[in-house]
mmCIF file of all heavy atoms in Angstrom:
data_model
loop_
_atom_site.group_PDB
_atom_site.id
_atom_site.type_symbol
_atom_site.label_atom_id
_atom_site.label_comp_id
_atom_site.label_asym_id
_atom_site.label_seq_id
_atom_site.Cartn_x
_atom_site.Cartn_y
_atom_site.Cartn_z
ATOM 1 N N PHE B 35 -5.702 2.449 -8.043
ATOM 2 C CA PHE B 35 -6.163 1.303 -7.265
ATOM 3 C C PHE B 35 -6.988 1.778 -6.067
ATOM 4 O O PHE B 35 -6.806 2.888 -5.565
ATOM 5 C CB PHE B 35 -4.977 0.512 -6.686
ATOM 6 C CG PHE B 35 -3.949 0.086 -7.682
ATOM 7 C CD1 PHE B 35 -2.904 0.924 -8.024
ATOM 8 C CD2 PHE B 35 -4.007 -1.175 -8.262
ATOM 9 C CE1 PHE B 35 -1.936 0.529 -8.941
ATOM 10 C CE2 PHE B 35 -3.044 -1.581 -9.178
ATOM 11 C CZ PHE B 35 -2.009 -0.726 -9.517
ATOM 12 N N TRP B 36 -7.845 0.890 -5.622
ATOM 13 C CA TRP B 36 -8.433 1.002 -4.289
ATOM 14 C C TRP B 36 -8.025 -0.246 -3.509
ATOM 15 O O TRP B 36 -8.173 -1.380 -4.001
ATOM 16 C CB TRP B 36 -9.959 1.093 -4.347
ATOM 17 C CG TRP B 36 -10.438 2.474 -4.660
ATOM 18 C CD1 TRP B 36 -10.777 2.980 -5.870
ATOM 19 C CD2 TRP B 36 -10.625 3.534 -3.709
ATOM 20 N NE1 TRP B 36 -11.168 4.292 -5.752
ATOM 21 C CE2 TRP B 36 -11.091 4.656 -4.439
ATOM 22 C CE3 TRP B 36 -10.470 3.647 -2.330
ATOM 23 C CZ2 TRP B 36 -11.389 5.878 -3.824
ATOM 24 C CZ3 TRP B 36 -10.766 4.855 -1.719
ATOM 25 C CH2 TRP B 36 -11.220 5.959 -2.473
ATOM 26 N N TYR B 37 -7.484 0.002 -2.303
ATOM 27 C CA TYR B 37 -7.104 -1.070 -1.401
ATOM 28 C C TYR B 37 -7.972 -0.988 -0.149
ATOM 29 O O TYR B 37 -8.344 0.092 0.304
ATOM 30 C CB TYR B 37 -5.639 -0.939 -0.974
ATOM 31 C CG TYR B 37 -4.644 -1.471 -1.971
ATOM 32 C CD1 TYR B 37 -4.151 -0.662 -2.985
ATOM 33 C CD2 TYR B 37 -4.182 -2.788 -1.892
ATOM 34 C CE1 TYR B 37 -3.231 -1.156 -3.898
ATOM 35 C CE2 TYR B 37 -3.257 -3.286 -2.803
ATOM 36 C CZ TYR B 37 -2.791 -2.461 -3.801
ATOM 37 O OH TYR B 37 -1.876 -2.941 -4.710
ATOM 38 N N LYS B 38 -8.216 -2.151 0.432
ATOM 39 C CA LYS B 38 -8.960 -2.267 1.687
ATOM 40 C C LYS B 38 -7.984 -2.731 2.758
ATOM 41 O O LYS B 38 -7.174 -3.643 2.520
ATOM 42 C CB LYS B 38 -10.077 -3.298 1.504
ATOM 43 C CG LYS B 38 -10.813 -3.715 2.758
ATOM 44 C CD LYS B 38 -11.827 -4.807 2.411
ATOM 45 C CE LYS B 38 -12.541 -5.304 3.660
ATOM 46 N NZ LYS B 38 -13.514 -6.390 3.326
ATOM 47 N N GLN B 39 -8.038 -2.096 3.937
ATOM 48 C CA GLN B 39 -7.183 -2.517 5.052
ATOM 49 C C GLN B 39 -8.056 -2.756 6.281
ATOM 50 O O GLN B 39 -8.436 -1.824 6.965
ATOM 51 C CB GLN B 39 -6.107 -1.475 5.353
ATOM 52 C CG GLN B 39 -5.079 -1.963 6.383
ATOM 53 C CD GLN B 39 -3.972 -0.952 6.659
ATOM 54 O OE1 GLN B 39 -4.224 0.241 6.782
ATOM 55 N NE2 GLN B 39 -2.733 -1.424 6.751
ATOM 56 N N PRO B 40 -8.369 -4.020 6.560
ATOM 57 C CA PRO B 40 -9.137 -4.336 7.766
ATOM 58 C C PRO B 40 -8.252 -4.214 9.000
ATOM 59 O O PRO B 40 -7.056 -3.945 8.878
ATOM 60 C CB PRO B 40 -9.571 -5.789 7.518
ATOM 61 C CG PRO B 40 -8.577 -6.338 6.554
ATOM 62 C CD PRO B 40 -8.059 -5.187 5.752
ATOM 63 N N PRO B 41 -8.807 -4.408 10.191
ATOM 64 C CA PRO B 41 -8.000 -4.295 11.425
ATOM 65 C C PRO B 41 -6.790 -5.224 11.449
ATOM 66 O O PRO B 41 -5.823 -4.956 12.153
ATOM 67 C CB PRO B 41 -9.004 -4.647 12.519
ATOM 68 C CG PRO B 41 -10.321 -4.249 11.960
ATOM 69 C CD PRO B 41 -10.231 -4.550 10.490
ATOM 70 N N SER B 42 -6.812 -6.300 10.690
ATOM 71 C CA SER B 42 -5.645 -7.194 10.629
ATOM 72 C C SER B 42 -4.432 -6.526 9.984
ATOM 73 O O SER B 42 -3.331 -7.064 10.028
ATOM 74 C CB SER B 42 -5.991 -8.463 9.837
ATOM 75 O OG SER B 42 -6.203 -8.134 8.472
ATOM 76 N N ARG B 43 -4.640 -5.369 9.373
ATOM 77 C CA ARG B 43 -3.595 -4.525 8.761
ATOM 78 C C ARG B 43 -3.166 -4.986 7.364
ATOM 79 O O ARG B 43 -2.414 -4.279 6.704
ATOM 80 C CB ARG B 43 -2.334 -4.433 9.639
ATOM 81 C CG ARG B 43 -2.513 -3.826 10.988
ATOM 82 C CD ARG B 43 -1.183 -3.351 11.551
ATOM 83 N NE ARG B 43 -0.173 -4.384 11.616
ATOM 84 C CZ ARG B 43 0.193 -4.991 12.734
ATOM 85 N NH1 ARG B 43 -0.417 -4.699 13.876
ATOM 86 N NH2 ARG B 43 1.149 -5.899 12.731
ATOM 87 N N GLN B 44 -3.635 -6.132 6.918
ATOM 88 C CA GLN B 44 -3.182 -6.613 5.609
ATOM 89 C C GLN B 44 -3.929 -5.894 4.495
ATOM 90 O O GLN B 44 -5.150 -5.969 4.403
ATOM 91 C CB GLN B 44 -3.413 -8.115 5.513
ATOM 92 C CG GLN B 44 -2.795 -8.756 4.309
ATOM 93 C CD GLN B 44 -2.779 -10.255 4.418
ATOM 94 O OE1 GLN B 44 -3.528 -10.829 5.193
ATOM 95 N NE2 GLN B 44 -1.919 -10.902 3.649
ATOM 96 N N MET B 45 -3.192 -5.231 3.637
ATOM 97 C CA MET B 45 -3.763 -4.522 2.489
ATOM 98 C C MET B 45 -4.281 -5.521 1.464
ATOM 99 O O MET B 45 -3.556 -6.438 1.076
ATOM 100 C CB MET B 45 -2.694 -3.668 1.814
ATOM 101 C CG MET B 45 -2.321 -2.443 2.562
ATOM 102 S SD MET B 45 -3.551 -1.191 2.284
ATOM 103 C CE MET B 45 -2.683 0.239 2.928
ATOM 104 N N ILE B 46 -5.516 -5.303 1.020
ATOM 105 C CA ILE B 46 -6.127 -6.201 0.039
ATOM 106 C C ILE B 46 -6.554 -5.371 -1.155
ATOM 107 O O ILE B 46 -7.248 -4.362 -1.004
ATOM 108 C CB ILE B 46 -7.346 -6.922 0.647
ATOM 109 C CG1 ILE B 46 -6.916 -7.732 1.873
ATOM 110 C CG2 ILE B 46 -8.013 -7.824 -0.389
ATOM 111 C CD1 ILE B 46 -8.064 -8.143 2.751
ATOM 112 N N LEU B 47 -6.160 -5.791 -2.359
ATOM 113 C CA LEU B 47 -6.539 -5.067 -3.561
ATOM 114 C C LEU B 47 -8.028 -5.262 -3.821
ATOM 115 O O LEU B 47 -8.522 -6.387 -3.878
ATOM 116 C CB LEU B 47 -5.731 -5.574 -4.757
ATOM 117 C CG LEU B 47 -6.060 -4.942 -6.101
ATOM 118 C CD1 LEU B 47 -5.759 -3.443 -6.091
ATOM 119 C CD2 LEU B 47 -5.269 -5.629 -7.218
ATOM 120 N N VAL B 48 -8.741 -4.154 -4.002
ATOM 121 C CA VAL B 48 -10.175 -4.191 -4.279
ATOM 122 C C VAL B 48 -10.430 -4.096 -5.778
ATOM 123 O O VAL B 48 -11.185 -4.898 -6.348
ATOM 124 C CB VAL B 48 -10.911 -3.043 -3.544
ATOM 125 C CG1 VAL B 48 -12.390 -2.994 -3.950
ATOM 126 C CG2 VAL B 48 -10.771 -3.192 -2.037
ATOM 127 N N ILE B 49 -9.776 -3.119 -6.418
ATOM 128 C CA ILE B 49 -10.058 -2.880 -7.832
ATOM 129 C C ILE B 49 -8.926 -2.072 -8.452
ATOM 130 O O ILE B 49 -8.245 -1.314 -7.751
ATOM 131 C CB ILE B 49 -11.420 -2.156 -7.990
ATOM 132 C CG1 ILE B 49 -11.967 -2.281 -9.400
ATOM 133 C CG2 ILE B 49 -11.344 -0.712 -7.524
ATOM 134 C CD1 ILE B 49 -13.451 -1.944 -9.501
ATOM 135 N N ARG B 50 -8.719 -2.279 -9.735
ATOM 136 C CA ARG B 50 -7.625 -1.609 -10.466
ATOM 137 C C ARG B 50 -8.179 -0.978 -11.741
ATOM 138 O O ARG B 50 -9.033 -1.567 -12.408
ATOM 139 C CB ARG B 50 -6.568 -2.646 -10.816
ATOM 140 C CG ARG B 50 -5.459 -2.168 -11.732
ATOM 141 C CD ARG B 50 -4.419 -3.258 -11.932
ATOM 142 N NE ARG B 50 -4.929 -4.365 -12.719
ATOM 143 C CZ ARG B 50 -4.579 -4.627 -13.974
ATOM 144 N NH1 ARG B 50 -3.761 -3.820 -14.605
ATOM 145 N NH2 ARG B 50 -5.062 -5.673 -14.594
ATOM 146 N N GLN B 51 -7.628 0.193 -12.075
ATOM 147 C CA GLN B 51 -8.018 0.895 -13.301
ATOM 148 C C GLN B 51 -6.760 1.301 -14.055
ATOM 149 O O GLN B 51 -5.844 1.878 -13.456
ATOM 150 C CB GLN B 51 -8.834 2.153 -12.972
ATOM 151 C CG GLN B 51 -9.198 3.027 -14.145
ATOM 152 C CD GLN B 51 -10.368 2.499 -14.944
ATOM 153 O OE1 GLN B 51 -11.352 2.023 -14.402
ATOM 154 N NE2 GLN B 51 -10.275 2.602 -16.255
ATOM 155 N N GLU B 52 -6.709 0.989 -15.341
ATOM 156 C CA GLU B 52 -5.589 1.457 -16.168
ATOM 157 C C GLU B 52 -5.986 2.775 -16.815
ATOM 158 O O GLU B 52 -7.094 2.883 -17.370
ATOM 159 C CB GLU B 52 -5.253 0.407 -17.227
ATOM 160 C CG GLU B 52 -4.627 -0.827 -16.620
ATOM 161 C CD GLU B 52 -4.973 -2.106 -17.370
ATOM 162 O OE1 GLU B 52 -6.143 -2.295 -17.728
ATOM 163 O OE2 GLU B 52 -4.062 -2.908 -17.568
ATOM 164 N N ALA B 53 -5.110 3.752 -16.770
ATOM 165 C CA ALA B 53 -5.471 5.106 -17.200
ATOM 166 C C ALA B 53 -5.833 5.182 -18.675
ATOM 167 O O ALA B 53 -6.624 6.031 -19.085
ATOM 168 C CB ALA B 53 -4.334 6.067 -16.894
ATOM 169 N N TYR B 54 -5.262 4.295 -19.495
ATOM 170 C CA TYR B 54 -5.532 4.369 -20.927
ATOM 171 C C TYR B 54 -6.887 3.780 -21.285
ATOM 172 O O TYR B 54 -7.372 3.945 -22.404
ATOM 173 C CB TYR B 54 -4.427 3.675 -21.719
ATOM 174 C CG TYR B 54 -4.386 2.170 -21.579
ATOM 175 C CD1 TYR B 54 -5.154 1.353 -22.405
ATOM 176 C CD2 TYR B 54 -3.568 1.578 -20.641
ATOM 177 C CE1 TYR B 54 -5.119 -0.026 -22.287
ATOM 178 C CE2 TYR B 54 -3.513 0.200 -20.516
ATOM 179 C CZ TYR B 54 -4.283 -0.603 -21.338
ATOM 180 O OH TYR B 54 -4.247 -1.959 -21.219
ATOM 181 N N LYS B 55 -7.529 3.103 -20.334
ATOM 182 C CA LYS B 55 -8.841 2.516 -20.588
ATOM 183 C C LYS B 55 -9.931 3.498 -20.167
ATOM 184 O O LYS B 55 -9.959 3.951 -19.029
ATOM 185 C CB LYS B 55 -9.018 1.217 -19.819
ATOM 186 C CG LYS B 55 -8.184 0.067 -20.354
ATOM 187 C CD LYS B 55 -8.525 -1.234 -19.632
ATOM 188 C CE LYS B 55 -7.735 -2.388 -20.233
ATOM 189 N NZ LYS B 55 -8.008 -3.669 -19.531
ATOM 190 N N GLN B 56 -10.813 3.811 -21.072
ATOM 191 C CA GLN B 56 -11.896 4.733 -20.754
ATOM 192 C C GLN B 56 -13.007 4.049 -19.949
ATOM 193 O O GLN B 56 -13.694 4.684 -19.166
ATOM 194 C CB GLN B 56 -12.477 5.316 -22.028
ATOM 195 C CG GLN B 56 -11.532 6.282 -22.727
ATOM 196 C CD GLN B 56 -12.211 7.044 -23.840
ATOM 197 O OE1 GLN B 56 -13.159 6.559 -24.444
ATOM 198 N NE2 GLN B 56 -11.725 8.235 -24.116
ATOM 199 N N GLN B 57 -13.158 2.749 -20.161
ATOM 200 C CA GLN B 57 -14.221 2.026 -19.478
ATOM 201 C C GLN B 57 -13.901 1.889 -18.000
ATOM 202 O O GLN B 57 -12.776 1.505 -17.633
ATOM 203 C CB GLN B 57 -14.395 0.646 -20.096
ATOM 204 C CG GLN B 57 -15.585 -0.120 -19.567
ATOM 205 C CD GLN B 57 -15.838 -1.408 -20.321
ATOM 206 O OE1 GLN B 57 -15.040 -1.801 -21.170
ATOM 207 N NE2 GLN B 57 -16.939 -2.059 -20.031
ATOM 208 N N ASN B 58 -14.879 2.190 -17.158
ATOM 209 C CA ASN B 58 -14.693 2.078 -15.723
ATOM 210 C C ASN B 58 -14.607 0.614 -15.296
ATOM 211 O O ASN B 58 -15.398 -0.224 -15.746
ATOM 212 C CB ASN B 58 -15.855 2.751 -14.981
ATOM 213 C CG ASN B 58 -15.808 4.252 -15.097
ATOM 214 O OD1 ASN B 58 -14.740 4.864 -15.088
ATOM 215 N ND2 ASN B 58 -16.972 4.874 -15.217
ATOM 216 N N ALA B 59 -13.675 0.331 -14.397
ATOM 217 C CA ALA B 59 -13.510 -1.035 -13.914
ATOM 218 C C ALA B 59 -14.638 -1.411 -12.958
ATOM 219 O O ALA B 59 -15.154 -0.565 -12.212
ATOM 220 C CB ALA B 59 -12.163 -1.168 -13.202
#
Side-chain angles (χ1 to χ4, degrees):
Chain B
F35 307 87
W36 279 96
Y37 279 88
K38 171 184 177 181
Q39 188 178 42
S42 68
R43 298 200 304 256
Q44 189 167 20
M45 286 281 193
I46 301 164
L47 178 63
V48 174
I49 198 164
R50 172 176 69 108
Q51 175 79 41
E52 290 148 316
Y54 70 87
K55 289 186 177 178
Q56 290 191 332
Q57 187 173 7
N58 289 323

